[in-house]
Amino acid sequence: MQTTTTRALAAAAALTIGLTIGGCSTSNTSSSDGSSSQSSSSSASHNDQDVMFTQQMLPHHQQAIAMSDMLIAKGSGVQADVGTLAKQIKAEQDPENTRMTGWLTAWNEPTEMPSMSGMVRSSMSGMMSDSAIQDLQKASPQDAGKLYLEQMIEHHTSAVDMAKTEVDKGKNADAVGLAKSIVKSQTEQIAQMKDMLASM
């Protein structure tokens, strides 16, 4: 009888301890989830400037990648240093596009501005015209290197301007961080491309 009572008391104590620990665990988990949710919400905060920046920079990067692919496809006839730069630009901008697409998705925003026609998009983001792209496509490997540099200097200049606006007016820390990176890297590449042109 005493053994039975002792066992019952032990079981009750174990149950109480289990519930207490469980209650603490649940409380901690809830607190952790709340903190995580707040952190996620904070990182996802953005304004209209962030949305416009990413929506415009995406097609801008896509065109730079397409131009780089055109040049790379022309093979060994292209000046080696220009070909190397084209590969570098593509390698940098591909993952940036993935990041920007992810942000827009997380913000529940479309990946492009619905009201932007091709013509308006070109004028707003400083992208190359269709005829300029065709010129690059048709150029011989020897001529393509110089044309690529001339076009990419203009392309980069508009991207730097867009990025500076984002740095000044953007809210999302990740987007502003990317904009700062673009200003730095593409300003350096503009100087590099001007030096290449001067030596041709």
Side-chain angles (χ1 to χ4, degrees), residues 122-145:
S122 176
S123 64
M124 286 183 68
S125 60
M127 297 203 298
M128 296 293 102
S129 66
D130 289 343
S131 61
I133 294 297
Q134 288 171 7
D135 288 343
L136 180 62
Q137 180 74 58
K138 294 174 183 176
S140 66
Q142 294 77 13
D143 294 337

Side-chain angles (χ1 to χ4, degrees), residues 20 48 61 81 106 121 130 138 157 183-185 190 195:
T20 302
D48 290 344
H61 271 22
D81 56 347
R121 183 185 294 117
D130 289 343
K138 294 174 183 176
T157 300
V183 170
K184 182 178 185 296
S185 65
I190 288 169
D195 287 343

Side-chain angles (χ1 to χ4, degrees), residues 117-172:
S117 66
M119 185 176 296
V120 174
R121 183 185 294 117
S122 176
S123 64
M124 286 183 68
S125 60
M127 297 203 298
M128 296 293 102
S129 66
D130 289 343
S131 61
I133 294 297
Q134 288 171 7
D135 288 343
L136 180 62
Q137 180 74 58
K138 294 174 183 176
S140 66
Q142 294 77 13
D143 294 337
K146 183 177 183 219
L147 184 57
Y148 175 83
L149 293 176
E150 291 171 342
Q151 292 182 349
M152 196 58 74
I153 287 172
E154 182 180 345
H155 207 264
H156 269 26
T157 300
S158 65
V160 169
D161 289 342
M162 291 160 58
K164 284 180 177 177
T165 300
E166 170 64 12
V167 171
D168 291 340
K169 299 180 180 180
K171 178 181 179 183
N172 183 267

